[in-house]
Amino acid sequence: MDFFAQGLAARGWRVLRFEFDYMAARRRDGRKRPPDRQEQLFASWRAAVRGIPPERLVVGGKSLGGRMASMLAAELGARACLCLGYPFHPAGKPERLRIAHLQAISVPTLIAQGSRDSLGTREEVAGYPLGRRVALHWAEDGNHDLAPRKASGRSREQNWEEALAALDGFLREILSPASSAK
């Protein structure tokens, strides 16, 4: 997340980051914990963006953070949503899809996904009925962190730079004055 937050900021976007309570506790004591309940995660999101005018708000996150952002994007009045490594299904359970809200999402959403992400590969996602407002950027040979295998001939930096360029381009397209007039 540091790379993407700093990269977007370097391209002129204002970035506000926050950490879910369970992750902050994990960082403090090093003990792995399960995520907080969905309502607590939603409350964290609402608190983090309180006071930000909706016309300036873009939400997003990595994995669970992106999923929660996409579920709240319309409620928060966000102009766009950015997800990195979206968890389309739990690990090892491709039959338990987490896409119901993405089928009808009204907020323009870009998901940057590794083509071999174990939580949603390119082949799996190709068959999902995602809404027309959802765009995908594929990180070649990328895992859940968009990082490729060494044997692919690609580097993590290359995949991350390409994903960053896709995020920036998506925001410029969605938030340009011309697109607002549509």
Side-chain angles (χ1 to χ4, degrees), residues 25-102:
R26 190 185 281 187
R27 190 175 37 76
R28 279 192 305 273
D29 65 19
R31 289 194 359 236
K32 188 164 170 104
R33 325 178 133 62
D36 294 324
R37 299 182 71 85
Q38 184 170 295
E39 273 313 309
Q40 176 59 37
L41 297 171
F42 284 168
S44 294
W45 255 111
R46 290 178 185 116
V49 302
R50 191 172 292 124
I52 299 174
E55 63 274 5
R56 301 192 59 166
L57 182 62
V58 172
V59 295
K62 169 75 172 87
S63 196
L64 175 66
R67 181 171 167 237
M68 294 300 109
S70 66
M71 294 173 83
L72 284 174
E75 173 193 318
L76 299 173
R79 300 274 310 278
C81 180
L82 305 174
C83 302
L84 297 166
Y86 188 87
F88 286 98
H89 57 74
K93 298 179 183 175
E95 71 284 355
R96 289 191 40 209
L97 293 180
R98 298 170 169 156
I99 64 168
H101 71 287
L102 293 176

Side-chain angles (χ1 to χ4, degrees), residues 18 52 78 83 136 146:
F18 77 94
I52 299 174
C83 302
L136 293 161
L146 311 183

Side-chain angles (χ1 to χ4, degrees), residues 94-156:
E95 71 284 355
R96 289 191 40 209
L97 293 180
R98 298 170 169 156
I99 64 168
H101 71 287
L102 293 176
Q103 295 171 345
I105 194 166
S106 60
V107 176
T109 300
L110 176 63
I111 298 173
Q113 189 81 357
S115 65
R116 61 181 183 84
D117 187 331
S118 62
L119 305 183
T121 65
R122 184 189 315 247
E123 291 76 23
E124 291 171 335
V125 175
Y128 297 163
L130 301 178
R132 65 178 185 80
R133 303 304 302 263
V134 177
L136 293 161
H137 166 80
W138 290 102
E140 263 324 300
D141 198 57
N143 62 13
H144 193 57
D145 293 325
L146 311 183
R149 294 170 290 201
K150 198 174 267 192
S152 73
R154 296 182 61 85
S155 68
R156 182 187 73 176

